Amino acid sequence: MFELHTIVAIFLLYMLFLFVIAYYIEKKNYTFKSSYAPYIYSLSLAIFCTAWTYYGSVGKVANSGLIFLAVYLGPTLAIFLWPLLLKRLIRIKELYKVTSLADLISVRYNKSMLIGAIVSFGALVGIIPYISIQLKAIIQSINILIAKDEASYIQSSSELDSIVGTLIVVLMSFFTIIFGLRKLDPSERHFGMVFIVAIESIVKLLALLIIGVFISYFVYPDISTILNEASKQELFKVVGQGSDSVDYSTWLSVLILSMFAVMFLPRQFHVSVVENSDMKHIKTAMWVFPLYLLLITFFTIPIAMGGEILSHTESLRDFYVLTIPMERNQHALSLIAFIGGFSASTSMIMITAMAMSIMVSNYFVLPLIESFSSLNFLKKRLLQIRWLIVTILIYLSYIFYLYVSKSNLIVNIGLISFTAVLQFVPVILGGLFWEKANRFGAIAALLSGFTIWFYTLIIPQFEKSEWISSFIIENGLFNIALLKPTELFGMVGFSSIPHAVFWTMIFNISAFIIVSLISKSSDVENKVARDFISILDKKNIESYNGDLEKSIDLKEKMNLFTNILNQYLPKNKTYRTVEKLKKKFSLEDNDKITILELSKLYTSIERALAGTLGTAGAHNVLKKSSVFSEDESNSLSEVYTDILKNMRISPEEFSKKINYFKEKEKLLNEHSEQLEEKIVERDKELEARIKAEDEIRSLNETLEVKVDNRTKQLKQSNKDLQKSMIELKQAQDNLIESEKMAGLGELVAGVAHEINTPVGLSLTGITHFMTMAEELSKHYEKDELSEEEFEDFIHTSKELSASINVNLQKTAQLVRSFKQVAVDQSSDEQREFNLLEYINEILVSLNNVTKKTKIKVNVSCPENIILNSYPGAISQILTNLIINCLKHAYDKDEENSIDIDIYEENEIIYLTFKDYGKGVPLENMTKIFNPFFTTCREDGGSGLGLSIIYNLITTKLEGSIVCESKENEGTVFKIELPNKNK
């Protein structure tokens, strides 16, 4: 047996190890070689093998025989559909930025929030039992490890459930958040998380193989001995003749359930579709994944039979993997078995809880926030809301475990969840291949399917757990025998799973087909349906680029898009998104855009939001924002109507034809014009040749005289020019030196001011100390010194010495800072320094200037940016910018601010210097970086401040600087500098 704190410490260390790996991979943006990536993807799919596989399959063999094989044959058969289905889903994910199963179904059916909510709720209700059996596996395995023997485990497990269970709920919530929910946008791939899922897949496989080998070849001589002993005890009657083993309806049902569960369980959809980075990985997964299933189930029958021979405790059938090493006092093997089972459970809980938190937040919480303006502050708290949802979901699963799962085999509860997931299959497959499928049919299918699922599977579980009376099970709803949950419409002789699968699919598929046929799809829905059906045939084509009027104000629309994005995204991410779109559509220099360009921007913004809010959420947010005015909507409709009017071809084909004929006409016109130009040029050449010959004759007569005179003039001009250049260079050097000296002068003034206070305080303290010492000496010489006076002197001396020490240390620190800035300004040495600390030192040196104004300088810069560059140049740039701003941007005594924002991305330092003052007149914008240009010549301005800045940045620092300004709104300098440290 083990102590509880030992077990907790072991799995905490294990999870810490996984976290360090995931953190390192994501922090360093580490990606594996292309030859490794397919295997990592393939192993991540093995998240399908949960505690159900690790513990439950053994229990299922012992209880029901070979039916467990159907759970793994189903996924193996489903692999043959992956080229058709999985590739389709991945292409759809890339086109519509799908982040969850609810997104997939919602976007197909008119981007309906209602359908997304139904899918999310159905998945939530269906997945809680599945998470509960993972918690059961962890909690009961811990109880087994800390129990003295089987009897003490059975007696004490209930007492420990509350302690261990609460601990597991807290830890699993924490691990889910740190592994999978540190980013708001789930469409941003979590490569670190996928990698640790792959690691856990290897760990649980190795652990199960080690235990299988131990039982098969160390507890028993070999596998044949286990099988022979099992045969003697007639244990194969269960395996070969158990009720489930010969029940073909159960086999068929479990095959169907597992076939689609491997693709449409929330966690499977997330790792196989959302986290997929390359469709080529599917080819590798098609042989790695079935091989993994074969290996992990290889020892299932020997372990189950060996456990049945050694023990007949039914409550421990699921945990023979753990109990057999415990009975043999193999503590190390017991821990290996526990870590394997822990890995099988935790990866499932983390990915599932993460996927469900995204669905619930996007389709329940977000619509609630949008409906009540008082909740708008939660829009930027979606990530924290998802953390809360994860915690609540895991806790609800724990409650379900306590009252339902605890008394059931793991596999039986898992099949209930599989049946819930099956309800999504008709609407998904119908959406992928049937154009007439629509949202009304999908809603009818989901509601009817989940209603029958709840009635035929969950109600009987409630009755077994004594939550409700047995009346409805025995007599049927409203005392109608045909409405018995376990014998619906008189269907007797079937076990619960095939019974539920049959009736849910009958109602689900019938409602889907009938309602879709009698209802009408919207135009948007029809377009998406065609996209889904032909998704593998789609190729990149040129869109229509007809001559449309540029009548829409780009700035107004971009401000609207920016405001929408800022409600949900950090401002820096919004800025990058907007700038990226401007660059993508070449709109940097445009004031007006066409209606089609606005449509493209709208679609791109919707896709950007979809990563955070889900496709339906993003669609609804933009729809409510009235991006298109009524006139613009009509204009867009007219454009598409004109394009397709009287045409029996698709928009893509039409675009190709337009581009082809335009290009052909253009080439013909160009060829004709070229011929005409050549004829004219030929005539001109003839005339010019005759004229040139006459001029040559005339010029030859005076050529030597003209050349001699011209040469003398050029030589004299060259001498004059060289002299002027030397004088100009000397003047420029003198002015630049004067600028530097002026800067150093202001630095010295700053030194004097800042050091004055601590030095003055130190001097006052020393003077007071000398006075006290002199008085003490007099009292001592007169023999009038009392013990109390001496103690007062000692106490006061300590306080004074401490004060003097603090002030002198502050003085020393200031001197060091001023010294470094002064040295940097007067030298060209390159060194490595912390950018934020150095900027603060520069600001301290300028305090003597800035304190005389009411302008506040705000700096936003990460603390960890290390820059290898020329600090003197950086100091002069910032000093000139700040002083220039104080002189020109603001009036005296005006209260305002200067913002300096800095961040690093892709080895580039981005520095934005912004004021909110008078701005630069438009006519001066092209001249501000010119040497000697100034608007304050009468105040002693040299006009070299910005010129020096420009030259330092573009030459010495090898960067770039751009100025943007509007009168009475302020000026922005955007600087980009390469970080030579990288």
Side-chain angles (χ1 to χ4, degrees):
M1 63 169 288
F2 295 88
E3 297 296 330
L4 177 59
H5 61 82
T6 304
I7 302 300
V8 173
I10 289 170
F11 71 66
L12 281 178
L13 286 173
Y14 175 64
M15 294 306 289
L16 178 62
F17 165 72
L18 294 178
F19 175 74
V20 169
I21 294 175
Y23 180 80
Y24 175 80
I25 289 173
E26 293 195 357
K27 187 73 173 177
K28 300 293 184 181
N29 290 322
Y30 186 77
T31 54
F32 289 89
K33 294 180 180 178
S34 57
S35 57
Y36 299 154
Y39 297 99
I40 294 171
Y41 173 73
S42 303
L43 288 171
S44 70
L45 297 179
I47 195 176
F48 179 76
C49 300
T50 62
W52 174 340
T53 300
Y54 196 85
Y55 294 122
S57 292
V58 173
K60 191 66 176 175
V61 170
N63 185 66
S64 304
L66 293 177
I67 187 64
F68 87 98
L69 289 175
V71 177
Y72 308 102
L73 288 174
T76 305
L77 294 174
I79 287 169
F80 294 101
L81 299 176
W82 282 2
L84 180 67
L85 289 180
L86 194 53
K87 285 186 177 181
R88 225 173 254 273
L89 296 173
I90 292 170
R91 286 292 296 270
I92 291 168
K93 178 261 297 189
E94 293 170 350
L95 180 62
Y96 290 97
K97 208 166 187 182
V98 168
T99 60
S100 67
L101 194 66
D103 272 358
L104 172 71
I105 299 174
S106 171
V107 76
R108 167 60 179 84
Y109 297 104
N110 208 40
K111 298 182 180 178
S112 168
M113 289 292 289
L114 176 59
I115 289 180
I118 294 172
V119 173
S120 300
F121 182 75
L124 181 66
V125 174
I127 218 67
I128 283 176
Y130 207 169
I131 296 178
S132 74
I133 63 177
Q134 312 307 314
L135 295 175
K136 173 183 179 178
I138 298 174
I139 294 170
Q140 293 193 0
S141 61
I142 293 175
N143 288 343
I144 290 171
L145 287 175
I146 63 179
K148 294 180 180 179
D149 49 42
E150 288 186 10
S152 62
Y153 160 73
I154 296 169
Q155 180 179 1
S156 64
S157 61
S158 297
E159 300 170 3
L160 289 170
D161 273 351
S162 59
I163 300 172
V164 177
T166 303
L167 177 64
I168 294 301
V169 167
V170 172
L171 291 176
M172 290 314 304
S173 301
F174 174 72
F175 290 140
T176 302
I177 290 168
I178 64 171
F179 279 124
L181 285 173
R182 289 182 289 116
K183 297 178 181 178
L184 181 60
D185 187 348
S187 67
E188 298 179 12
R189 295 188 179 94
H190 306 76
F191 194 80
M193 182 189 68
V194 172
F195 184 67
I196 65 167
V197 170
I199 289 178
E200 290 193 306
S201 296
I202 295 172
V203 169
K204 64 193 176 192
L205 174 62
L206 291 177
L208 202 53
L209 290 176
I210 290 170
I211 300 302
V213 170
F214 170 71
I215 294 173
S216 301
Y217 296 100
F218 291 89
V219 175
Y220 296 93
D222 51 40
I223 293 178
S224 61
T225 304
I226 299 176
L227 300 180
N228 290 335
E229 186 64 27
S231 179
K232 289 178 184 179
Q233 296 188 23
E234 298 183 343
L235 296 178
F236 284 110
K237 287 185 177 180
V238 175
V239 175
Q241 300 175 13
S243 58
D244 288 339
S245 294
V246 295
D247 185 350
Y248 298 111
S249 63
T250 301
W251 269 87
L252 181 60
S253 298
V254 175
L255 272 173
I256 293 172
L257 290 173
S258 57
M259 275 183 67
F260 293 110
V262 78
M263 287 192 290
F264 299 127
L265 278 166
R267 70 177 188 277
Q268 293 299 132
F269 183 82
H270 190 85
V271 296
S272 63
V273 178
V274 178
E275 295 291 346
N276 179 276
S277 58
D278 190 342
M279 282 200 295
K280 293 179 182 177
H281 295 170
I282 296 174
K283 188 175 180 180
T284 304
M286 289 180 68
W287 68 266
V288 172
F289 184 58
L291 177 61
Y292 185 95
L293 294 180
L294 173 64
L295 291 174
I296 203 167
T297 56
F298 186 81
F299 286 106
T300 299
I301 292 177
I303 293 173
M305 293 298 98
E308 285 294 289
I309 294 169
L310 296 172
S311 173
H312 296 286
T313 306
E314 290 189 10
S315 62
L316 294 177
R317 276 178 169 171
D318 278 335
F319 296 96
Y320 285 154
V321 172
L322 200 58
T323 57
I324 294 176
M326 287 285 290
E327 290 173 0
R328 293 294 184 275
N329 292 320
Q330 297 293 328
H331 299 301
L333 287 178
S334 300
L335 285 178
I336 290 173
F338 169 72
I339 292 296
F342 184 74
S343 298
S345 300
T346 53
S347 56
M348 179 274 173
I349 294 174
M350 288 190 298
I351 303 296
T352 301
M354 181 186 73
M356 289 308 306
S357 70
I358 294 167
M359 291 162 66
V360 172
S361 64
N362 287 349
Y363 291 97
F364 284 101
V365 178
L366 188 61
L368 190 66
I369 293 172
E370 294 289 343
S371 300
F372 298 97
S373 58
S374 58
L375 299 178
N376 281 343
F377 71 96
L378 292 175
K379 288 180 178 178
K380 287 199 173 182
R381 297 289 182 269
L382 284 178
L383 187 60
Q384 290 72 27
I385 290 171
R386 287 173 184 169
W387 296 351
L388 180 62
I389 292 170
V390 163
T391 306
I392 294 173
L393 174 61
I394 296 176
Y395 184 74
L396 288 176
S397 302
Y398 173 61
I399 298 298
F400 192 89
Y401 153 73
L402 289 177
Y403 294 99
V404 179
S405 301
K406 189 175 180 181
S407 58
N408 285 276
L409 282 175
I410 288 175
V411 171
N412 293 343
I413 296 297
L415 289 173
I416 292 175
S417 293
F418 274 22
T419 310
V421 172
L422 186 65
Q423 307 314 307
F424 302 135
V425 174
V427 296
I428 294 174
L429 296 184
L432 291 174
F433 300 104
W434 187 34
E435 189 172 345
K436 290 187 178 180
N438 61 36
R439 64 187 183 282
F440 301 109
I443 292 171
L446 292 170
L447 290 177
S448 57
F450 274 107
T451 301
I452 301 301
W453 169 80
F454 187 84
Y455 188 69
T456 57
L457 286 179
I458 301 301
I459 293 295
Q461 291 297 324
F462 287 169
E463 187 271 335
K464 285 183 183 179
S465 301
E466 299 181 353
W467 286 16
I468 60 174
S469 70
S470 60
F471 176 83
I472 191 172
I473 304 296
E474 296 170 355
N475 303 293
L477 187 65
F478 307 124
N479 207 22
I480 301 174
L482 291 177
L483 297 182
K484 291 181 180 179
T486 55
E487 298 175 3
L488 194 61
F489 301 117
M491 187 176 177
V492 297
F494 291 89
S495 58
S496 60
I497 294 300
H499 174 265
V501 168
F502 177 80
W503 284 118
T504 56
M505 287 297 96
I506 286 291
F507 278 86
N508 188 317
I509 296 172
S510 299
F512 182 53
I513 294 174
I514 294 170
V515 177
S516 291
L517 289 174
I518 64 175
S519 57
K520 186 178 180 182
S521 304
S522 67
D523 293 337
V524 174
E525 199 168 2
N526 286 331
K527 178 188 177 300
V528 175
R530 289 191 293 270
D531 284 346
F532 269 50
I533 292 170
S534 61
I535 192 70
L536 293 180
D537 302 326
K538 277 190 170 292
K539 297 179 181 178
N540 293 328
I541 59 169
E542 293 184 10
S543 58
Y544 173 65
N545 293 311
D547 293 330
L548 300 175
E549 182 185 0
K550 293 191 174 185
S551 58
I552 299 170
D553 189 332
L554 175 61
K555 182 179 179 182
E556 178 187 343
K557 296 301 180 183
M558 293 309 293
N559 286 339
L560 179 58
F561 286 139
T562 300
N563 290 336
I564 294 170
L565 292 172
N566 277 335
Q567 294 179 40
Y568 304 95
L569 305 177
K571 289 187 177 180
N572 60 341
K573 186 172 182 180
T574 296
Y575 175 78
R576 289 197 300 271
T577 301
V578 170
E579 291 300 313
K580 184 178 179 182
L581 290 179
K582 284 183 180 179
K583 191 172 183 180
K584 178 181 178 182
F585 296 114
S586 302
L587 301 176
E588 295 97 328
D589 301 323
N590 291 10
D591 295 325
K592 300 286 185 179
I593 56 173
T594 66
I595 189 66
L596 284 181
E597 288 172 330
L598 177 59
S599 177
K600 292 176 185 177
L601 276 175
Y602 182 94
T603 303
S604 298
I605 293 292
E606 184 175 329
R607 289 196 67 202
L609 273 176
T612 300
L613 310 181
T615 51
H619 175 73
N620 284 346
V621 165
L622 284 177
K623 190 176 179 181
K624 290 178 181 178
S625 300
S626 301
V627 174
F628 289 94
S629 66
E630 185 176 349
D631 290 339
E632 289 167 350
S633 297
N634 292 335
S635 176
L636 186 61
S637 299
E638 289 172 4
V639 169
Y640 284 116
T641 302
D642 291 340
I643 292 173
L644 299 176
K645 189 176 182 181
N646 299 322
M647 293 285 178
R648 295 183 179 180
I649 57 176
S650 68
E652 293 82 4
E653 293 170 333
F654 182 59
S655 179
K656 286 180 180 179
K657 290 182 181 293
I658 288 174
N659 292 332
Y660 168 78
F661 286 113
K662 274 192 170 184
E663 193 65 27
K664 185 176 180 180
E665 182 183 6
K666 183 180 177 182
L667 288 172
L668 289 172
N669 289 334
E670 287 178 354
H671 185 61
S672 175
E673 290 172 0
Q674 287 172 1
L675 288 174
E676 291 177 358
E677 288 173 359
K678 284 182 179 179
I679 292 170
V680 174
E681 287 174 0
R682 188 64 177 269
D683 292 337
K684 289 181 178 179
E685 285 176 2
L686 290 172
E687 293 177 2
R689 182 176 294 177
I690 294 170
K691 186 177 180 180
E693 288 174 353
D694 293 335
E695 289 178 351
I696 289 171
R697 292 191 193 100
S698 175
L699 287 172
N700 282 337
E701 299 173 358
T702 57
L703 180 60
E704 291 183 3
V705 176
K706 288 184 176 180
V707 168
D708 185 63
N709 292 336
R710 185 60 176 164
T711 302
K712 290 178 180 179
Q713 292 174 359
L714 287 174
K715 286 182 179 179
Q716 185 59 40
S717 298
N718 189 39
K719 289 179 181 179
D720 295 341
L721 182 60
Q722 287 179 347
K723 183 179 179 181
S724 299
M725 288 295 294
I726 293 170
E727 292 174 352
L728 182 61
K729 185 68 172 61
Q730 288 175 347
Q732 185 177 355
D733 291 341
N734 291 336
L735 284 171
I736 291 174
E737 188 63 27
S738 67
E739 287 282 329
K740 286 187 177 181
M741 295 308 295
L744 288 173
E746 290 177 345
L747 176 63
V748 171
V751 171
H753 174 267
E754 292 298 321
I755 293 179
N756 181 62
T757 300
V759 170
L761 290 173
S762 300
L763 184 59
T764 301
I766 292 170
T767 302
H768 184 47
F769 185 88
M770 291 174 63
T771 302
M772 289 174 53
E774 187 176 346
E775 290 179 358
L776 182 70
S777 176
K778 289 178 181 180
H779 285 295
Y780 177 80
E781 290 174 355
K782 295 178 181 181
D783 199 23
E784 295 176 356
L785 180 63
S786 65
E787 182 179 351
E788 183 178 353
E789 288 175 338
F790 184 76
E791 288 177 351
D792 287 341
F793 173 80
I794 295 298
H795 178 71
T796 305
S797 298
K798 287 181 180 180
E799 291 180 344
L800 284 173
S801 61
S803 174
I804 292 167
N805 182 56
V806 168
N807 282 289
L808 289 178
Q809 285 183 350
K810 184 176 180 182
T811 301
Q813 180 61 39
L814 286 169
V815 169
R816 281 194 296 272
S817 296
F818 288 130
K819 178 183 177 182
Q820 186 62 63
V821 173
V823 168
D824 287 335
Q825 285 190 354
S826 59
S827 73
D828 290 333
E829 181 183 354
Q830 179 180 342
R831 66 181 177 87
E832 192 175 87
F833 57 94
N834 183 289
L835 185 54
L836 179 59
E837 292 178 359
Y838 192 68
I839 290 173
N840 289 333
E841 290 178 354
I842 294 169
L843 293 179
V844 170
S845 70
L846 291 173
N847 189 47
N848 192 44
V849 176
T850 56
K851 72 168 188 175
K852 298 175 183 178
T853 70
K854 296 182 180 179
I855 307 302
K856 183 179 179 183
V857 181
N858 304 312
V859 179
S860 174
C861 175
E863 296 180 356
N864 60 349
I865 294 181
I866 303 299
L867 184 61
N868 191 346
S869 187
Y870 297 93
I874 301 294
S875 173
Q876 190 164 3
I877 289 166
L878 289 176
T879 300
N880 284 9
L881 282 173
I882 292 172
I883 293 175
N884 192 66
C885 178
L886 296 177
K887 284 182 179 178
H888 301 288
Y890 298 113
D891 293 327
K892 187 177 181 182
D893 297 330
E894 180 179 349
E895 291 188 17
N896 215 309
S897 64
I898 297 171
D899 291 337
I900 302 175
D901 293 317
I902 302 170
Y903 69 94
E904 182 176 12
E905 186 174 291
N906 297 327
E907 304 179 5
I908 300 293
I909 304 295
Y910 294 90
L911 187 151
T912 302
F913 184 96
K914 184 175 184 179
D915 69 59
Y916 305 90
K918 301 174 183 178
V920 179
L922 184 60
E923 61 271 17
N924 292 340
M925 282 297 293
T926 58
K927 298 180 283 186
I928 59 172
F929 292 124
N930 292 347
F932 311 111
F933 174 77
T934 179
T935 57
C936 298
R937 189 79 65 186
E938 64 279 2
D939 295 330
S942 66
L944 283 175
L946 290 180
S947 176
I948 290 172
I949 291 173
Y950 182 83
N951 289 327
L952 285 173
I953 291 173
T954 57
T955 57
K956 190 167 189 175
L957 301 183
E958 299 177 2
S960 64
I961 179 170
V962 176
C963 177
E964 298 174 359
S965 183
K966 287 191 176 180
E967 289 192 73
N968 300 321
E969 291 186 16
T971 304
V972 179
F973 290 93
K974 295 181 179 179
I975 300 172
E976 296 182 9
L977 302 174
N979 192 347
K980 298 180 181 179
N981 187 42
K982 299 296 180 182

